[in-house]
């Protein structure tokens, strides 16, 4: 199957700083990418849908100014957690879609201290 | 619209006994269905997928699932559980009606006893 690379796999940052997570589709062009968040022992919740060259569509309850999403090319989407707080600590997973199937990155464990 | 329901939050089995993880879906259009496994503090690993071909799908590590349209089900099975199968399992649906956005079930935690 296709490969989606997510980087970094884990990051620790101080409260108030910003963290950028990258999601790359390595062997296909992804016009659409998705960002999910997973709380401990819970399922994956969709945060936003990112389309190349346009603004992301955020799910209800997700702060667009806190979670900045950029999809500048057909192979790269980034999620920036701005002014991070401890409650932003979570597991973030990206997904890149071709026409019929979505492929997932390995996730990023964010810890804000 | 689309949705997926994993009927059990936890399933507990003994090593060597069969595994059954249940998943029901709802979709107004022809769905694609997937099962993923997640080990603690790890990412998602695709076990198997159904995308309108054979209704009985075989995946990795001895898992298989059968798509039953009449029952709107896609249950995951394995004949004999192994200790290494202990993990969280997610059933996922996509369809054109849902703009091909993957929708996750709540997950089923598989516990394997020695």
């Amino acid at each position: 199957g296709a490969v989606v690379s997510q980087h970094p796999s884990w990051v620790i940052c101080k409260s108030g700083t910003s963290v950028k997570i990258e999601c790359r589709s390595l062997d296909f062009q992804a016009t659409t990418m998705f960002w999910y968040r997973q709380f401990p022992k819970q399922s994956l919740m969709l945060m936003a849908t990112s389309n190349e060259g346009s603004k992301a569509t955020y799910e209800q309850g997700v702060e667009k100014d806190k979670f900045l999403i950029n999809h500048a090319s057909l192979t790269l989407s980034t999620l920036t957690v701005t002014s991070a707080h401890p409650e932003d600590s979570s597991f973030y997973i990206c997904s890149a879609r071709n026409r019929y199937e979505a492929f997932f990155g390995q996730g990023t464990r964010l810890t804000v201290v | 619209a689309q949705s997926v329901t994993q009927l059990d939050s936890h399933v507990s089995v003994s090593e060597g006994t069969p595994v059954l993880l249940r998943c029901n879906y709802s979709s107004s259009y022809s769905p694609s269905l997937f099962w993923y496994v997640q080990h603690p503090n790890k990412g998602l690993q695709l076990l198997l997928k159904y995308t309108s071909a054979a209704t009985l799908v075989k995946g990795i590590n001895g898992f298989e699932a059968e798509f039953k349209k009449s029952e709107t089900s896609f249950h995951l099975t394995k004949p004999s559980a192994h200790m290494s199968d202990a993990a969280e399992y997610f059933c996922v649906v996509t369809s054109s009606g849902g703009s091909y956005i993957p929708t996750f079930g709540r997950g089923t935690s598989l516990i394997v006893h020695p």
Side-chain angles (χ1 to χ4, degrees), chain B residues 81-93:
Chain B
H82 192 272
M83 294 297 290
S84 61
D85 294 328
E88 192 78 15
Y89 291 78
F90 294 100
C91 184
V92 179
V93 64

Side-chain angles (χ1 to χ4, degrees), chain B residues 7-74:
Chain B
L7 297 159
D8 306 296
S9 59
H10 296 84
V11 169
S12 183
V13 301
S14 297
E15 191 176 21
T17 63
V19 175
L20 170 64
L21 304 182
R22 298 182 294 169
C23 172
N24 286 94
Y25 70 91
S26 173
S27 175
S28 302
Y29 299 83
S30 296
S32 294
L33 292 154
F34 309 80
W35 276 100
Y36 288 88
V37 60
Q38 185 180 36
H39 288 91
N41 297 310
K42 299 291 185 181
L44 299 173
Q45 181 182 18
L46 179 65
L47 284 176
L48 49 79
K49 62 183 178 183
Y50 166 78
T51 55
S52 77
T55 56
L56 181 61
V57 181
K58 294 186 183 299
I60 62 171
N61 300 335
F63 285 96
E64 64 179 42
E66 186 172 7
F67 173 72
K68 292 186 177 180
K69 186 176 180 179
S70 61
E71 299 177 10
T72 61
S73 69
F74 190 59

Side-chain angles (χ1 to χ4, degrees), chain A residues 37-55:
Chain A
R37 180 174 182 177
Q38 185 180 34
F39 292 98
K41 299 190 183 300
Q42 293 189 27
S43 188
L44 280 73
M45 304 302 296
L46 181 66
M47 297 175 66
T49 301
S50 168
N51 293 297
E52 186 265 338
S54 63
K55 292 183 178 181

Side-chain angles (χ1 to χ4, degrees), chain A residues 1 34 36 38 41-44 46 49 59 91 93 95 97-107 109, chain B residues 32 34 36 38 41-46 49 51 88 90 92 94 99-107:
Chain A
F34 309 103
Y36 292 83
Q38 185 180 34
K41 299 190 183 300
Q42 293 189 27
S43 188
L44 280 73
L46 181 66
T49 301
E59 295 299 297
F91 193 60
I93 298 180
S95 175
R97 179 171 70 78
N98 61 18
R99 184 175 180 185
Y100 296 111
E101 185 175 343
F103 304 91
F104 291 88
Q106 285 301 297
R109 171 74 59 193
Chain B
S32 294
F34 309 80
Y36 288 88
Q38 185 180 36
N41 297 310
K42 299 291 185 181
L44 299 173
Q45 181 182 18
L46 179 65
K49 62 183 178 183
T51 55
E88 192 78 15
F90 294 100
V92 179
T94 67
S99 301
Y100 292 109
I101 298 175
T103 299
F104 282 76
R106 64 173 177 172

Side-chain angles (χ1 to χ4, degrees), chain A residues 38-107:
Chain A
Q38 185 180 34
F39 292 98
K41 299 190 183 300
Q42 293 189 27
S43 188
L44 280 73
M45 304 302 296
L46 181 66
M47 297 175 66
T49 301
S50 168
N51 293 297
E52 186 265 338
S54 63
K55 292 183 178 181
T57 301
Y58 290 82
E59 295 299 297
Q60 190 173 7
V62 178
E63 299 176 60
K64 63 178 70 176
D65 294 329
K66 175 159 211 46
F67 299 100
L68 299 179
I69 292 172
N70 182 276
H71 193 162
S73 77
L74 288 172
T75 59
L76 173 65
S77 176
T78 60
L79 168 66
T80 301
V81 183
T82 62
S83 187
H85 290 280
E87 57 265 31
D88 298 325
S89 298
S90 194
F91 193 60
Y92 295 87
I93 298 180
C94 74
S95 175
R97 179 171 70 78
N98 61 18
R99 184 175 180 185
Y100 296 111
E101 185 175 343
F103 304 91
F104 291 88
Q106 285 301 297

